[in-house]
């Protein structure tokens, strides 16, 4: 009822995107985002995976539609009249975790009513990289702290010499 996908090259991410569809009815999963530093993971619970022949409601996005299916008993294809689909699930990485390397994701089916129905099917996982200069919505701390000024310093190189500029 669960599986872990380990990334070969951990990345700093702002979002995870999961391509998924459920069979035999909508299913519910938990998504655990794993980090390479071994620190606490980020867990999303109660994520619904839409049944593949259902028209989703916002914010669920259809990635692909009008796909068919094959009867496993006789290998005969069925028409795509039910308009089968694969959907995108977006997992927002918490701002505090966006500068950590995501090393994998563990997905667990949490429906307890039946193990033979409401099957989540995960087709792909991708992510949106954290920019080089991430926007972390962390308020200033300390007595009287505020965001009213900033100091920037950088080195300017010209003809092999460096000059420090501060503003």
């Amino acid at each position: 009822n669960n599986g872990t996908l380990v990334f070969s090259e951990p990345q700093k991410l702002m979002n995870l995107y999961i391509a998924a569809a459920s069979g035999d009815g909508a299913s519910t999963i938990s998504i655990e985002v794993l980090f390479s530093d071994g620190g606490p993971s980020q867990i999303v619970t109660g994520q619904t995976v839409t049944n593949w022949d259902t028209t989703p409601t916002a914010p669920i996005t259809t990635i692909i539609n009008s796909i068919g299916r094959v009867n496993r008993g006789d290998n005969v294809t069925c028409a795509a009249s039910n308009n089968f689909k694969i959907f995108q699930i977006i997992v927002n990485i918490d701002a505090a975790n966006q500068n950590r390397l995501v090393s994998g994701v563990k997905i667990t089916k949490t429906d307890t009513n039946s193990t033979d129905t409401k099957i989540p099917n995960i087709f792909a996982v991708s992510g949106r990289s954290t920019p080089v200069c991430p926007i972390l919505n962390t308020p200033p701390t300390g007595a009287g702290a505020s965001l009213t000024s900033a100091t920037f310093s950088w080195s300017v190189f010209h003809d092999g010499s460096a000059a420090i500029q501060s503003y």
Side-chain angles (χ1 to χ4, degrees):
N1 286 334
N2 67 61
T4 302
L5 175 65
V6 177
F7 303 144
S8 60
E9 295 184 32
Q11 300 289 320
K12 294 177 184 178
L13 300 175
M14 293 180 68
N15 308 93
L16 273 178
Y17 302 99
I18 301 171
S22 187
D24 290 332
S27 58
T28 307
I29 60 173
S30 68
I31 302 164
E32 182 176 3
V33 182
L34 308 171
F35 298 97
S36 63
D37 61 13
S41 57
Q42 178 179 322
I43 300 174
V44 176
T45 59
Q47 176 64 56
T48 299
V49 181
T50 305
N51 189 39
W52 74 323
D53 67 352
T54 302
T55 300
T57 57
I60 302 298
T61 302
T62 300
I63 297 172
I64 187 171
N65 61 15
S66 300
I67 56 177
R69 64 179 177 177
V70 175
N71 184 325
R72 293 186 331 179
D74 59 13
N75 287 330
V76 174
T77 58
C78 301
S81 61
N82 285 354
N83 196 17
F84 298 109
K85 304 166 196 72
I86 297 175
F87 308 99
Q88 174 178 274
I89 297 170
I90 300 173
V91 178
N92 296 316
I93 304 298
D94 293 340
N97 292 328
Q98 291 179 7
N99 224 17
R100 298 171 68 199
L101 294 171
V102 176
S103 60
V105 61
K106 179 179 180 181
I107 299 174
T108 302
K109 178 184 176 192
T110 56
D111 291 316
T112 56
N113 57 349
S114 174
T115 57
D116 296 334
T117 62
K118 300 182 179 183
I119 307 297
N121 298 277
I122 309 303
F123 299 99
V125 177
S126 64
R128 178 177 173 209
S129 296
T130 300
V132 175
C133 184
I135 300 170
L136 299 177
N137 295 319
T138 305
T141 58
S146 66
L147 295 176
T148 58
S149 66
T151 301
F152 298 95
S153 296
W154 65 90
S155 297
V156 177
F157 291 92
H158 180 68
D159 297 332
S161 62
I164 305 296
Q165 302 290 324
S166 293
Y167 293 93

